[in-house]
Amino acid sequence: MAFSVCLVLFLALPLKHGLGLFINSSSSNSSNNSELLAILNATNLSVDLLLRIDVMTGENASLTTTETPLSLESIIRAEINRDWERGRLVLDLASMVRTVQLKHAIYEALWLELQQMQQIYNPLKLLDFYTELEQLSDVPPPLLEKVYQALVQSSAQLLSAPFHASSQCAIFPLVTQLLQRLTLSTLDYLKDILEALFNVILALESNLGVVQRLGSFSDNLTQLTQANLQLQQRPELQLDEQAHRALVQNLRTLLEQSTFIEEVEYALQQQVYAQLPEADRILYTAQKVCLRNVSDAYGYIYECPQTYLICTNAHDPRKASYNLQRGHGGLNNSLQFAFYSSYWNNHYIFLEPSNHTAPNAIIKNIYSRDAINWWYAVIQEDGTSVALFDAATNSSVLCGGDQQYWDTGEEHVYTRNAEEFANYRRECVWRIEDCSYIEK
Ligand SMILES: *[C@@H]1O[C@H](CO)[C@@H](O)[C@H](O)[C@H]1NC(C)=O
Ligand SMILES: *[C@@H]1O[C@H](CO)[C@@H](O)[C@H](O)[C@H]1NC(C)=O
Ligand SMILES: *[C@@H]1O[C@H](CO)[C@@H](O)[C@H](O)[C@H]1NC(C)=O
Ligand SMILES: *[C@@H]1O[C@H](CO)[C@@H](O)[C@H](O)[C@H]1NC(C)=O
Ligand SMILES: *[C@@H]1O[C@H](CO)[C@@H](O)[C@H](O)[C@H]1NC(C)=O
Ligand SMILES: *[C@@H]1O[C@H](CO)[C@@H](O)[C@H](O)[C@H]1NC(C)=O
Ligand SMILES: *[C@@H]1O[C@H](CO)[C@@H](O)[C@H](O)[C@H]1NC(C)=O
Ligand SMILES: *[C@@H]1O[C@H](CO)[C@@H](O)[C@H](O)[C@H]1NC(C)=O
Ligand SMILES: *[C@@H]1O[C@H](CO)[C@@H](O)[C@H](O)[C@H]1NC(C)=O
Ligand SMILES: *[C@@H]1O[C@H](CO)[C@@H](O)[C@H](O)[C@H]1NC(C)=O
Ligand SMILES: *[C@@H]1O[C@H](CO)[C@@H](O)[C@H](O)[C@H]1NC(C)=O
């Protein structure tokens, strides 16, 4: 072990090859590439020689025989002169040196120097260094791996800072910078970093705290999606229902972003849908849906038999399937939905605006109309049903089933005051079904 380190790091540099020249050029900020290359070229790894000494005499490798040795490390240190940017120059030159061994020795020495300079704690520097090494064809894989692991660990260390902060909105400029820099690299880096990050923070912070903080982890939707999906897979969360629910909420918030579909790649979107309850999957992906009474299969929403009001009716797939339109708007520019039927002459499920004034009152103001009408969908805990609130005011909720309000053989649906939703949950929650398979 000691021997191989020695092999790599120490070179016989004949002093007569102009160390003075080298030091002059580096200290005068006029580092001349060809001079430095000549110096690097002049260093001699003497691998054969070292081996011969070791094998034949049993002596430790010693280079002090005829010429004073100088470690490549010290040459590189002098050249870099505490300005890491100059490491780049050395890296460029490495591709031009005489032998592969020398090349490897230069990479190792640069890595050592980076550590000496404490830059090992700076993920941005490590990321630059790693990216450059990776582009070279002949960097020894174990060295690449070492640099990569250091990059992952120091990134995780930095990204953990916001998770320990008491305020959700504290700003960490370096964290932002690192996350932005990471968007230029493959998502695999982020995956490894997140795993290391979760190792650290889940040991120190509560699951729920981590989930909540992760909701605003990054401005980049891809990174945010990846982070939440990965956290959901962690064993720590498997038995923690509260944290799990909060995480589902994070994912829903993501889906509600207007740019989610265009920004996040398709495969990642599918992973999100796969993690969510059925009602989410249907709301976010289905082309057509049917809405029906949760407990009664004779309770599908569509146009009444005689009037242009909307009723609950027997199951008839063509009549019951509504195209689902998605949009953003309403009070908080949130995700909202509209239901239109090609069977019913392209009419929408439409709410005629009106105010609920008396307590516990209902209003029969749901029509089949050709004007669009937007609804918020609040997914219920069972994961298969939704409550629909009118998006314009969020003051009405769509309900049905109370026979008092049915007449002339029509089972009219109606609205209640949204604030009374909790008292009328049985009347105001609808099973949502994927009816995309139904042709017109
Ligand atoms: C350093 O360079 C300057 C000119 O760039 C030269 O005059 C001087 O002799 C050099 N010093 C050594 C030690 O080579
Ligand atoms: C070194 O030279 C470059 C131009 O070649 C200059 O931009 C830089 O400021 C110089 N650095 C020092 C420390 O003199
Ligand atoms: C760099 O050094 C080489 C020879 O060592 C010389 O020919 C060349 O002119 C030098 N270039 C500069 C910019 O000093
Ligand atoms: C260094 O060695 C390489 C490979 O033998 C050669 O192409 C290059 O010209 C040498 N450079 C100098 C400055 O000696
Ligand atoms: C390096 O050492 C070998 C012998 O091990 C010798 O043949 C070669 O000339 C040396 N090269 C330089 C540049 O000193
Ligand atoms: C070689 O070096 C090691 C440590 O540097 C020392 O313990 C060992 O005795 C040396 N062996 C010889 C043969 O000098
Ligand atoms: C978000 O990050 C991904 C890669 O992680 C990148 O491809 C995408 O361009 C970034 N989006 C924005 C808006 O910066
Ligand atoms: C909508 O925004 C208001 C104030 O801007 C806020 O109080 C309310 O909680 C938001 N509602 C939702 C569902 O985000
Ligand atoms: C509902 O009440 C608000 C104020 O309380 C009023 O501005 C609005 O016009 C009313 N809407 C309807 C449809 O009666
Ligand atoms: C569903 O049917 C039950 C039983 O008929 C009824 O009590 C309930 O109000 C209905 N709910 C809806 C949303 O239609
Ligand atoms: C709409 O009202 C319901 C019930 O009052 C509430 O749970 C929901 O957060 C509201 N949504 C918005 C966007 O304000």
Side-chain angles (χ1 to χ4, degrees):
M1 186 64 185
F3 178 67
S4 65
V5 168
C6 170
L7 253 191
V8 173
L9 294 182
F10 292 91
L11 315 153
L13 176 73
L15 282 174
K16 61 178 179 278
H17 271 92
L19 180 60
L21 172 70
F22 162 67
I23 285 170
N24 195 22
S25 70
S26 68
S27 58
S28 65
N29 188 32
S30 62
S31 191
N32 182 324
N33 293 0
S34 54
E35 283 172 12
L36 178 57
L37 180 56
I39 290 157
L40 291 171
N41 259 353
T43 56
N44 197 336
L45 275 173
S46 302
V47 176
D48 293 347
L49 181 67
L50 287 166
L51 278 175
R52 237 178 295 124
I53 292 171
D54 196 54
V55 172
M56 293 172 72
T57 70
E59 295 284 329
N60 274 351
S62 162
L63 296 170
T64 54
T65 42
T66 51
E67 288 160 338
T68 311
L70 193 67
S71 74
L72 182 58
E73 204 190 343
S74 59
I75 296 175
I76 286 175
R77 175 162 308 157
E79 174 55 29
I80 290 178
N81 195 23
R82 307 209 65 75
D83 175 6
W84 177 248
E85 291 309 305
R86 300 171 76 105
R88 234 175 236 141
L89 168 75
V90 177
L91 203 54
D92 287 345
L93 291 179
S95 61
M96 291 184 273
V97 298
R98 254 177 337 105
T99 64
V100 172
Q101 288 95 328
L102 185 53
K103 244 185 239 189
H104 289 181
I106 292 173
Y107 299 148
E108 289 277 358
L110 275 173
W111 172 229
L112 274 182
E113 185 56 17
L114 192 61
Q115 295 173 76
Q116 294 284 344
M117 290 168 67
Q118 310 296 322
Q119 296 296 346
I120 194 162
Y121 302 115
N122 183 340
L124 287 156
K125 288 273 166 40
L126 289 174
L127 191 50
D128 285 345
F129 185 54
Y130 181 75
T131 308
E132 281 175 31
L133 282 186
E134 216 196 8
Q135 281 159 6
L136 303 170
S137 57
D138 48 12
V139 180
L143 174 64
L144 261 186
E145 183 58 24
K146 264 187 283 185
V147 178
Y148 186 69
Q149 285 312 325
L151 157 65
V152 166
Q153 292 308 326
S154 71
S155 299
Q157 199 77 46
L158 176 58
L159 294 185
S160 71
F163 288 85
H164 304 311
S166 53
S167 162
Q168 287 268 328
C169 34
I171 293 167
F172 296 82
L174 272 179
V175 169
T176 308
Q177 208 182 330
L178 175 61
L179 286 169
Q180 275 166 1
R181 174 65 182 75
L182 280 168
T183 63
L184 306 176
S185 306
T186 147
L187 206 53
D188 291 338
Y189 296 4
L190 181 67
K191 286 183 192 166
D192 291 340
I193 291 167
L194 285 168
E195 220 46 43
L197 170 68
F198 294 148
N199 285 342
V200 175
I201 55 178
L202 288 171
L204 295 170
E205 305 287 339
S206 73
N207 293 342
L208 184 61
V210 171
V211 172
Q212 284 166 343
R213 191 58 182 75
L214 204 64
S216 55
F217 168 70
S218 167
D219 292 336
N220 181 294
L221 290 184
T222 298
Q223 292 182 332
L224 208 46
T225 305
Q226 181 61 39
N228 278 285
L229 284 172
Q230 230 171 298
L231 181 58
Q232 187 169 39
Q233 299 304 315
R234 293 284 300 199
E236 290 90 337
L237 260 75
Q238 299 313 308
L239 295 173
D240 187 336
E241 259 184 48
Q242 199 189 10
H244 212 268
R245 265 203 303 278
L247 206 137
V248 164
Q249 214 43 58
N250 279 0
L251 292 177
R252 282 182 181 148
T253 306
L254 270 171
L255 290 178
E256 285 172 10
Q257 305 301 307
S258 53
T259 52
F260 180 80
I261 302 277
E262 77 198 48
E263 251 186 59
V264 177
E265 69 174 73
Y266 182 76
L268 213 48
Q269 289 180 26
Q270 297 308 305
Q271 285 182 48
V272 174
Y273 299 135
Q275 295 308 319
L276 290 172
E278 193 189 340
D280 292 87
R281 210 152 43 242
I282 295 172
L283 269 179
Y284 295 118
T285 65
Q287 202 200 331
K288 292 183 184 174
V289 298
C290 299
L291 293 164
R292 75 157 169 90
N293 187 307
V294 171
S295 56
D296 177 7
Y298 284 91
Y300 281 84
I301 290 183
Y302 54 87
E303 220 173 85
C304 300
Q306 297 141 45
T307 62
Y308 280 115
L309 286 162
I310 297 282
C311 283
T312 43
N313 305 286
H315 184 41
D316 179 329
R318 286 188 316 146
K319 293 180 179 172
S321 66
Y322 276 83
N323 287 278
L324 191 58
Q325 264 175 250
R326 302 175 182 86
H328 281 83
L331 299 178
N332 289 8
N333 196 32
S334 2
L335 184 61
Q336 51 186 17
F337 303 90
F339 306 89
Y340 92 94
S341 162
S342 35
Y343 180 89
W344 297 111
N345 206 11
N346 294 338
H347 281 186
Y348 288 86
I349 297 177
F350 184 87
L351 174 143
E352 183 78 57
S354 56
N355 288 325
H356 290 269
T357 42
N360 302 315
I362 65 110
I363 301 179
K364 276 204 248 179
N365 57 342
I366 305 296
Y367 295 89
S368 188
R369 291 263 176 89
D370 59 3
I372 195 164
N373 187 85
W374 292 103
W375 302 84
Y376 288 139
V378 177
I379 294 163
Q380 303 300 297
E381 268 193 26
D382 65 5
T384 61
S385 58
V386 296
L388 296 170
F389 296 88
D390 80 294
T393 65
N394 198 34
S395 61
S396 300
V397 58
L398 180 68
C399 308
D402 189 331
Q403 305 192 8
Q404 268 190 69
Y405 306 108
W406 297 354
D407 57 42
T408 59
E410 296 194 336
E411 303 181 4
H412 302 126
V413 300
Y414 43 85
T415 61
R416 286 190 175 276
N417 188 334
E419 284 167 14
E420 294 168 355
F421 168 68
N423 300 336
Y424 293 97
R425 182 174 290 277
R426 206 170 44 98
E427 286 178 44
C428 309
V429 165
W430 304 88
R431 165 78 37 85
I432 185 164
E433 295 176 348
D434 188 345
C435 285
S436 307
Y437 66 95
I438 294 162
E439 317 225 328
K440 182 177 169 161

XYZ file of all heavy atoms in Angstrom, residues 274-305:
256
model
N -48.356 7.008 -10.136
C -48.372 5.667 -9.570
C -48.362 5.695 -8.039
O -48.794 4.753 -7.390
C -47.179 4.865 -10.092
N -47.841 6.782 -7.463
C -47.759 6.869 -6.003
C -49.038 7.403 -5.375
O -49.185 7.384 -4.160
C -46.606 7.803 -5.591
C -45.231 7.297 -5.963
C -45.010 5.884 -5.470
O -45.394 5.540 -4.352
N -44.438 5.054 -6.315
N -49.928 7.940 -6.210
C -51.098 8.618 -5.661
C -52.331 7.726 -5.696
O -52.383 6.758 -6.456
C -51.358 9.898 -6.456
C -50.316 11.000 -6.226
C -50.538 12.156 -7.181
C -50.367 11.496 -4.787
N -53.333 8.052 -4.871
C -54.574 7.276 -4.884
C -55.241 7.324 -6.260
O -54.958 8.200 -7.071
C -55.442 7.988 -3.848
C -54.506 8.747 -2.993
C -53.337 9.097 -3.846
N -56.142 6.402 -6.455
C -56.828 6.239 -7.730
C -57.511 7.531 -8.193
O -57.446 7.890 -9.367
C -57.877 5.141 -7.558
C -58.459 4.625 -8.838
C -59.652 3.705 -8.558
O -59.761 3.199 -7.421
O -60.463 3.519 -9.470
N -58.146 8.233 -7.258
C -58.888 9.439 -7.643
C -57.953 10.491 -8.239
O -58.306 11.189 -9.190
C -59.615 10.016 -6.430
N -56.739 10.586 -7.697
C -55.763 11.528 -8.253
C -55.402 11.148 -9.667
O -55.366 11.968 -10.579
C -54.476 11.524 -7.418
C -54.680 12.099 -6.041
O -55.069 11.328 -5.154
O -54.466 13.314 -5.876
N -55.099 9.855 -9.813
C -54.670 9.358 -11.117
C -55.740 9.669 -12.166
O -55.449 10.137 -13.259
C -54.438 7.846 -11.026
C -53.399 7.359 -11.971
C -52.681 6.109 -11.477
N -53.500 5.081 -10.887
C -53.388 4.664 -9.631
N -52.508 5.226 -8.822
N -54.153 3.704 -9.169
N -56.979 9.437 -11.795
C -58.071 9.674 -12.734
C -58.197 11.171 -13.029
O -58.252 11.603 -14.175
C -59.395 9.108 -12.177
C -59.291 7.583 -12.073
C -60.564 9.519 -13.050
C -60.463 6.930 -11.368
N -58.187 11.984 -11.973
C -58.352 13.426 -12.162
C -57.251 14.008 -13.032
O -57.488 14.892 -13.845
C -58.336 14.132 -10.812
C -59.671 14.337 -10.119
C -59.445 15.018 -8.795
C -60.596 15.191 -10.989
N -56.010 13.524 -12.828
C -54.893 14.147 -13.529
C -54.628 13.524 -14.892
O -53.969 14.124 -15.722
C -53.630 14.102 -12.665
C -53.768 14.930 -11.402
C -53.697 14.347 -10.145
C -53.995 16.301 -11.492
C -53.848 15.109 -8.996
C -54.154 17.062 -10.353
C -54.080 16.468 -9.107
O -54.246 17.223 -7.974
N -55.125 12.308 -15.135
C -54.739 11.686 -16.411
C -55.918 11.247 -17.289
O -55.738 11.118 -18.485
C -53.858 10.429 -16.182
O -54.637 9.445 -15.519
C -52.632 10.746 -15.359
N -57.081 11.008 -16.704
C -58.155 10.414 -17.518
C -58.694 11.407 -18.541
O -58.737 12.604 -18.297
C -59.285 9.928 -16.615
N -59.109 10.857 -19.662
C -59.708 11.707 -20.686
C -61.188 11.929 -20.376
O -61.706 13.015 -20.537
C -59.543 11.006 -22.033
C -59.629 11.936 -23.208
C -59.959 11.164 -24.470
O -59.618 9.984 -24.603
N -60.654 11.813 -25.390
N -61.831 10.849 -19.926
C -63.250 10.951 -19.566
C -63.481 10.369 -18.183
O -62.815 9.398 -17.806
C -64.108 10.162 -20.554
C -64.151 10.744 -21.928
C -65.079 9.907 -22.785
C -65.059 10.407 -24.218
N -65.839 9.528 -25.093
N -64.435 10.933 -17.468
C -64.773 10.399 -16.151
C -66.277 10.240 -16.014
O -67.055 10.873 -16.730
C -64.276 11.322 -15.007
C -62.770 11.440 -15.017
C -64.929 12.702 -15.096
N -66.664 9.362 -15.089
C -68.050 9.273 -14.677
C -68.091 9.600 -13.194
O -67.172 9.245 -12.446
C -68.599 7.861 -14.887
S -68.556 7.326 -16.607
N -69.151 10.286 -12.774
C -69.314 10.615 -11.357
C -70.565 9.920 -10.864
O -71.627 10.016 -11.500
C -69.465 12.136 -11.190
C -68.231 12.962 -11.541
C -68.591 14.434 -11.733
C -67.161 12.811 -10.447
N -70.425 9.228 -9.736
C -71.620 8.546 -9.241
C -71.675 8.569 -7.726
O -70.682 8.836 -7.058
C -71.682 7.118 -9.764
C -70.718 6.153 -9.104
C -71.269 4.723 -9.295
N -70.336 3.687 -8.929
C -70.241 3.149 -7.711
N -70.977 3.594 -6.722
N -69.397 2.171 -7.488
N -72.840 8.259 -7.226
C -73.050 8.138 -5.796
C -72.131 7.040 -5.245
O -72.045 5.956 -5.816
C -74.527 7.761 -5.565
C -74.896 7.782 -4.103
O -74.231 7.148 -3.291
N -75.946 8.513 -3.788
N -71.453 7.336 -4.143
C -70.469 6.409 -3.591
C -71.104 5.062 -3.234
O -70.516 4.005 -3.452
C -69.801 7.034 -2.343
C -68.934 6.014 -1.621
C -68.985 8.248 -2.737
N -72.345 5.121 -2.702
C -72.933 3.884 -2.186
C -74.010 3.318 -3.095
O -74.617 2.299 -2.790
C -73.537 4.151 -0.794
O -74.474 5.203 -0.889
N -74.280 3.999 -4.212
C -75.429 3.609 -5.011
C -75.075 3.613 -6.491
O -74.812 4.655 -7.082
C -76.583 4.606 -4.733
C -77.798 4.311 -5.587
O -77.799 3.282 -6.289
O -78.736 5.120 -5.540
N -75.085 2.427 -7.090
C -74.700 2.318 -8.493
C -75.775 2.891 -9.417
O -75.565 3.022 -10.610
C -74.410 0.873 -8.849
N -76.955 3.223 -8.871
C -77.964 3.935 -9.652
C -77.905 5.405 -9.304
O -78.889 6.011 -8.920
C -79.380 3.398 -9.374
C -79.633 2.083 -10.048
C -79.373 0.880 -9.390
C -80.113 2.046 -11.353
C -79.579 -0.329 -10.018
C -80.329 0.840 -11.987
C -80.062 -0.350 -11.317
O -80.272 -1.532 -11.947
N -76.763 5.962 -9.417
C -76.659 7.358 -9.015
C -75.636 8.098 -9.841
O -74.817 8.834 -9.296
N -75.661 7.888 -11.177
C -74.704 8.563 -12.059
C -75.215 9.939 -12.458
O -76.406 10.121 -12.744
C -74.465 7.727 -13.322
C -73.501 6.583 -13.081
C -73.944 5.373 -12.553
C -72.146 6.731 -13.357
C -73.067 4.332 -12.316
C -71.258 5.688 -13.127
C -71.726 4.496 -12.611
O -70.860 3.476 -12.372
N -74.301 10.899 -12.476
C -74.657 12.269 -12.830
C -74.738 12.449 -14.344
O -73.768 12.186 -15.044
C -73.567 13.238 -12.291
C -73.618 13.323 -10.778
C -73.705 14.608 -12.911
C -72.624 14.320 -10.219
N -75.867 12.867 -14.824
C -76.006 13.405 -16.193
C -77.361 14.076 -16.337
O -78.110 14.178 -15.362
C -75.739 12.355 -17.283
C -76.523 11.052 -17.231
C -77.776 10.940 -17.841
C -75.970 9.924 -16.607
C -78.461 9.722 -17.816
C -76.652 8.712 -16.584
C -77.892 8.611 -17.187
O -78.569 7.419 -17.173
N -77.651 14.530 -17.552
C -78.849 15.334 -17.774
C -80.118 14.589 -17.325
O -80.233 13.375 -17.525
C -78.955 15.663 -19.276
C -79.405 17.074 -19.552
C -79.324 17.394 -21.034
O -80.294 17.082 -21.754
O -78.291 17.948 -21.467
N -81.064 15.327 -16.764
C -82.310 14.718 -16.323
C -83.131 14.267 -17.540
O -82.911 14.760 -18.649
C -83.135 15.735 -15.533
S -82.299 16.346 -14.060
N -84.064 13.353 -17.316
C -84.850 12.829 -18.446
C -85.637 13.907 -19.196
O -85.737 13.849 -20.406
C -85.812 11.836 -17.785
C -85.208 11.509 -16.457
C -84.355 12.664 -16.063
